[in-house]
Amino acid sequence: MLSQKARYALRALLHLVENAGTKPIQLSEVATAQVIPRKYLEFIMVDLKKAGLVNSRRGPGGGYVLARPASEISFVEVIRAIDGPIALVPCASENFYQRCGDCHDEATCAIRRVLARVRDSAVDILGNTSLADAANTELAAEGRGPVAA
């Protein structure tokens, strides 16, 4: 299940996409508009900055901007930066593999095989959905024009 922190991260990034362009947006604006506790959003933005997804600028006119074009940042990248693995069990994770403590034989485990397919499907969808794609879907539903890719 997607954590609240990851949902907030996606909402904050989509706010940047839909409202900023190349102009920095202040943290307080994002927090207010997206109804995210400001202090919590500060921690999230630090994680996103460490992952290379946003840049921050200090001083007057400062704030946050995407580190890359919205079309080049996928949902899977954001979720992995905040929550870590996409897999439902650690033995099915590609990037955060851990052997399950109660597994008798990983090679024949039906649970692992099914959940690896679930992971593959989720990664395919999330990896092929960019922030620009999601923002444009949201903006279209609101009757607003698309963002620049």
mmCIF file of all heavy atoms in Angstrom, residues 16-41:
data_model
loop_
_atom_site.group_PDB
_atom_site.id
_atom_site.type_symbol
_atom_site.label_atom_id
_atom_site.label_comp_id
_atom_site.label_asym_id
_atom_site.label_seq_id
_atom_site.Cartn_x
_atom_site.Cartn_y
_atom_site.Cartn_z
ATOM 1 N N LEU A 16 3.840 21.327 -8.221
ATOM 2 C CA LEU A 16 4.942 22.027 -8.888
ATOM 3 C C LEU A 16 4.761 21.992 -10.400
ATOM 4 O O LEU A 16 4.959 23.003 -11.081
ATOM 5 C CB LEU A 16 6.295 21.406 -8.516
ATOM 6 C CG LEU A 16 6.758 21.521 -7.072
ATOM 7 C CD1 LEU A 16 8.140 20.881 -6.914
ATOM 8 C CD2 LEU A 16 6.778 22.951 -6.593
ATOM 9 N N VAL A 17 4.391 20.840 -10.923
ATOM 10 C CA VAL A 17 4.212 20.687 -12.368
ATOM 11 C C VAL A 17 3.095 21.596 -12.873
ATOM 12 O O VAL A 17 3.247 22.296 -13.875
ATOM 13 C CB VAL A 17 3.888 19.212 -12.734
ATOM 14 C CG1 VAL A 17 3.511 19.084 -14.195
ATOM 15 C CG2 VAL A 17 5.055 18.304 -12.399
ATOM 16 N N GLU A 18 1.972 21.579 -12.176
ATOM 17 C CA GLU A 18 0.778 22.279 -12.651
ATOM 18 C C GLU A 18 0.836 23.794 -12.451
ATOM 19 O O GLU A 18 0.132 24.530 -13.127
ATOM 20 C CB GLU A 18 -0.459 21.724 -11.954
ATOM 21 C CG GLU A 18 -0.750 20.283 -12.334
ATOM 22 C CD GLU A 18 -1.846 19.651 -11.497
ATOM 23 O OE1 GLU A 18 -2.561 20.376 -10.776
ATOM 24 O OE2 GLU A 18 -1.994 18.417 -11.562
ATOM 25 N N ASN A 19 1.681 24.260 -11.535
ATOM 26 C CA ASN A 19 1.630 25.672 -11.175
ATOM 27 C C ASN A 19 2.916 26.457 -11.362
ATOM 28 O O ASN A 19 2.897 27.680 -11.269
ATOM 29 C CB ASN A 19 1.175 25.815 -9.724
ATOM 30 C CG ASN A 19 -0.230 25.311 -9.549
ATOM 31 O OD1 ASN A 19 -1.186 25.977 -9.922
ATOM 32 N ND2 ASN A 19 -0.371 24.110 -9.007
ATOM 33 N N ALA A 20 4.022 25.788 -11.597
ATOM 34 C CA ALA A 20 5.282 26.516 -11.562
ATOM 35 C C ALA A 20 5.931 26.746 -12.911
ATOM 36 O O ALA A 20 6.420 27.819 -13.167
ATOM 37 C CB ALA A 20 6.265 25.794 -10.647
ATOM 38 N N GLY A 21 5.967 25.732 -13.731
ATOM 39 C CA GLY A 21 6.815 25.845 -14.918
ATOM 40 C C GLY A 21 8.256 25.835 -14.435
ATOM 41 O O GLY A 21 8.701 24.906 -13.798
ATOM 42 N N THR A 22 8.990 26.910 -14.686
ATOM 43 C CA THR A 22 10.380 26.994 -14.228
ATOM 44 C C THR A 22 10.513 27.919 -13.023
ATOM 45 O O THR A 22 11.601 28.089 -12.498
ATOM 46 C CB THR A 22 11.287 27.512 -15.360
ATOM 47 O OG1 THR A 22 10.789 28.777 -15.790
ATOM 48 C CG2 THR A 22 11.322 26.534 -16.514
ATOM 49 N N LYS A 23 9.420 28.520 -12.582
ATOM 50 C CA LYS A 23 9.429 29.442 -11.448
ATOM 51 C C LYS A 23 9.355 28.638 -10.133
ATOM 52 O O LYS A 23 8.505 27.764 -9.982
ATOM 53 C CB LYS A 23 8.214 30.373 -11.565
ATOM 54 C CG LYS A 23 8.000 31.290 -10.389
ATOM 55 C CD LYS A 23 6.710 32.069 -10.540
ATOM 56 C CE LYS A 23 5.601 31.185 -10.149
ATOM 57 N NZ LYS A 23 4.539 31.505 -9.362
ATOM 58 N N PRO A 24 10.250 28.929 -9.185
ATOM 59 C CA PRO A 24 10.196 28.209 -7.904
ATOM 60 C C PRO A 24 8.886 28.483 -7.154
ATOM 61 O O PRO A 24 8.341 29.580 -7.229
ATOM 62 C CB PRO A 24 11.377 28.787 -7.117
ATOM 63 C CG PRO A 24 12.258 29.420 -8.120
ATOM 64 C CD PRO A 24 11.362 29.868 -9.241
ATOM 65 N N ILE A 25 8.423 27.471 -6.464
ATOM 66 C CA ILE A 25 7.216 27.607 -5.643
ATOM 67 C C ILE A 25 7.611 27.391 -4.191
ATOM 68 O O ILE A 25 8.321 26.434 -3.864
ATOM 69 C CB ILE A 25 6.136 26.600 -6.061
ATOM 70 C CG1 ILE A 25 5.641 26.945 -7.450
ATOM 71 C CG2 ILE A 25 4.990 26.586 -5.069
ATOM 72 C CD1 ILE A 25 4.373 26.296 -7.872
ATOM 73 N N GLN A 26 7.140 28.275 -3.339
ATOM 74 C CA GLN A 26 7.472 28.194 -1.920
ATOM 75 C C GLN A 26 6.761 27.018 -1.267
ATOM 76 O O GLN A 26 5.626 26.673 -1.621
ATOM 77 C CB GLN A 26 7.114 29.493 -1.216
ATOM 78 C CG GLN A 26 7.982 30.643 -1.659
ATOM 79 C CD GLN A 26 7.712 31.915 -0.871
ATOM 80 O OE1 GLN A 26 6.769 32.007 -0.098
ATOM 81 N NE2 GLN A 26 8.562 32.900 -1.086
ATOM 82 N N LEU A 27 7.445 26.435 -0.305
ATOM 83 C CA LEU A 27 6.932 25.284 0.422
ATOM 84 C C LEU A 27 5.580 25.587 1.054
ATOM 85 O O LEU A 27 4.668 24.755 1.016
ATOM 86 C CB LEU A 27 7.947 24.870 1.501
ATOM 87 C CG LEU A 27 7.598 23.604 2.244
ATOM 88 C CD1 LEU A 27 8.105 22.406 1.462
ATOM 89 C CD2 LEU A 27 8.208 23.620 3.618
ATOM 90 N N SER A 28 5.435 26.782 1.611
ATOM 91 C CA SER A 28 4.179 27.132 2.274
ATOM 92 C C SER A 28 3.008 27.123 1.292
ATOM 93 O O SER A 28 1.894 26.736 1.651
ATOM 94 C CB SER A 28 4.290 28.490 2.962
ATOM 95 O OG SER A 28 4.639 29.484 2.028
ATOM 96 N N GLU A 29 3.250 27.543 0.050
ATOM 97 C CA GLU A 29 2.185 27.517 -0.966
ATOM 98 C C GLU A 29 1.759 26.089 -1.262
ATOM 99 O O GLU A 29 0.567 25.786 -1.345
ATOM 100 C CB GLU A 29 2.648 28.194 -2.248
ATOM 101 C CG GLU A 29 1.594 28.135 -3.354
ATOM 102 C CD GLU A 29 2.078 28.608 -4.709
ATOM 103 O OE1 GLU A 29 2.929 29.525 -4.763
ATOM 104 O OE2 GLU A 29 1.592 28.068 -5.720
ATOM 105 N N VAL A 30 2.736 25.201 -1.430
ATOM 106 C CA VAL A 30 2.433 23.799 -1.712
ATOM 107 C C VAL A 30 1.675 23.188 -0.536
ATOM 108 O O VAL A 30 0.647 22.527 -0.730
ATOM 109 C CB VAL A 30 3.718 22.990 -1.995
ATOM 110 C CG1 VAL A 30 3.395 21.515 -2.221
ATOM 111 C CG2 VAL A 30 4.480 23.567 -3.185
ATOM 112 N N ALA A 31 2.154 23.437 0.673
ATOM 113 C CA ALA A 31 1.514 22.872 1.866
ATOM 114 C C ALA A 31 0.067 23.330 1.987
ATOM 115 O O ALA A 31 -0.830 22.517 2.246
ATOM 116 C CB ALA A 31 2.307 23.259 3.117
ATOM 117 N N THR A 32 -0.170 24.612 1.776
ATOM 118 C CA THR A 32 -1.525 25.152 1.894
ATOM 119 C C THR A 32 -2.426 24.602 0.794
ATOM 120 O O THR A 32 -3.530 24.121 1.058
ATOM 121 C CB THR A 32 -1.500 26.694 1.835
ATOM 122 O OG1 THR A 32 -0.700 27.168 2.920
ATOM 123 C CG2 THR A 32 -2.891 27.279 1.922
ATOM 124 N N ALA A 33 -1.962 24.667 -0.444
ATOM 125 C CA ALA A 33 -2.780 24.239 -1.580
ATOM 126 C C ALA A 33 -3.102 22.744 -1.539
ATOM 127 O O ALA A 33 -4.197 22.334 -1.916
ATOM 128 C CB ALA A 33 -2.072 24.579 -2.890
ATOM 129 N N GLN A 34 -2.167 21.947 -1.065
ATOM 130 C CA GLN A 34 -2.345 20.499 -1.073
ATOM 131 C C GLN A 34 -2.783 19.939 0.286
ATOM 132 O O GLN A 34 -2.918 18.723 0.445
ATOM 133 C CB GLN A 34 -1.058 19.811 -1.538
ATOM 134 C CG GLN A 34 -0.694 20.139 -2.968
ATOM 135 C CD GLN A 34 -1.776 19.708 -3.942
ATOM 136 O OE1 GLN A 34 -2.330 18.619 -3.839
ATOM 137 N NE2 GLN A 34 -2.103 20.587 -4.883
ATOM 138 N N VAL A 35 -2.980 20.817 1.252
ATOM 139 C CA VAL A 35 -3.398 20.437 2.607
ATOM 140 C C VAL A 35 -2.453 19.358 3.168
ATOM 141 O O VAL A 35 -2.858 18.253 3.518
ATOM 142 C CB VAL A 35 -4.880 19.980 2.653
ATOM 143 C CG1 VAL A 35 -5.369 19.883 4.087
ATOM 144 C CG2 VAL A 35 -5.764 20.910 1.843
ATOM 145 N N ILE A 36 -1.181 19.725 3.192
ATOM 146 C CA ILE A 36 -0.130 18.864 3.729
ATOM 147 C C ILE A 36 0.504 19.615 4.894
ATOM 148 O O ILE A 36 0.854 20.793 4.737
ATOM 149 C CB ILE A 36 0.953 18.565 2.664
ATOM 150 C CG1 ILE A 36 0.334 17.874 1.434
ATOM 151 C CG2 ILE A 36 2.068 17.705 3.249
ATOM 152 C CD1 ILE A 36 1.282 17.750 0.251
ATOM 153 N N PRO A 37 0.656 18.976 6.056
ATOM 154 C CA PRO A 37 1.319 19.669 7.165
ATOM 155 C C PRO A 37 2.700 20.178 6.733
ATOM 156 O O PRO A 37 3.514 19.426 6.191
ATOM 157 C CB PRO A 37 1.430 18.596 8.250
ATOM 158 C CG PRO A 37 0.347 17.617 7.914
ATOM 159 C CD PRO A 37 0.237 17.627 6.420
ATOM 160 N N ARG A 38 2.946 21.456 6.969
ATOM 161 C CA ARG A 38 4.158 22.112 6.471
ATOM 162 C C ARG A 38 5.433 21.414 6.944
ATOM 163 O O ARG A 38 6.348 21.176 6.165
ATOM 164 C CB ARG A 38 4.163 23.582 6.907
ATOM 165 C CG ARG A 38 5.270 24.387 6.257
ATOM 166 C CD ARG A 38 5.204 25.856 6.702
ATOM 167 N NE ARG A 38 5.990 26.731 5.876
ATOM 168 C CZ ARG A 38 7.313 26.803 5.900
ATOM 169 N NH1 ARG A 38 8.003 26.027 6.698
ATOM 170 N NH2 ARG A 38 7.967 27.640 5.114
ATOM 171 N N LYS A 39 5.512 21.103 8.236
ATOM 172 C CA LYS A 39 6.714 20.458 8.786
ATOM 173 C C LYS A 39 6.958 19.101 8.120
ATOM 174 O O LYS A 39 8.095 18.741 7.818
ATOM 175 C CB LYS A 39 6.584 20.273 10.297
ATOM 176 C CG LYS A 39 7.178 21.388 11.104
ATOM 177 C CD LYS A 39 8.672 21.408 10.882
ATOM 178 C CE LYS A 39 9.344 22.312 11.876
ATOM 179 N NZ LYS A 39 10.572 22.874 11.371
ATOM 180 N N TYR A 40 5.883 18.358 7.917
ATOM 181 C CA TYR A 40 5.999 17.048 7.281
ATOM 182 C C TYR A 40 6.453 17.206 5.833
ATOM 183 O O TYR A 40 7.296 16.455 5.344
ATOM 184 C CB TYR A 40 4.661 16.315 7.365
ATOM 185 C CG TYR A 40 4.728 14.836 7.087
ATOM 186 C CD1 TYR A 40 5.766 14.042 7.575
ATOM 187 C CD2 TYR A 40 3.745 14.217 6.341
ATOM 188 C CE1 TYR A 40 5.819 12.681 7.325
ATOM 189 C CE2 TYR A 40 3.786 12.855 6.080
ATOM 190 C CZ TYR A 40 4.824 12.098 6.576
ATOM 191 O OH TYR A 40 4.870 10.754 6.322
ATOM 192 N N LEU A 41 5.924 18.213 5.153
ATOM 193 C CA LEU A 41 6.309 18.468 3.763
ATOM 194 C C LEU A 41 7.789 18.837 3.670
ATOM 195 O O LEU A 41 8.449 18.465 2.699
ATOM 196 C CB LEU A 41 5.428 19.561 3.151
ATOM 197 C CG LEU A 41 5.658 19.848 1.665
ATOM 198 C CD1 LEU A 41 5.493 18.600 0.816
ATOM 199 C CD2 LEU A 41 4.708 20.947 1.204
#
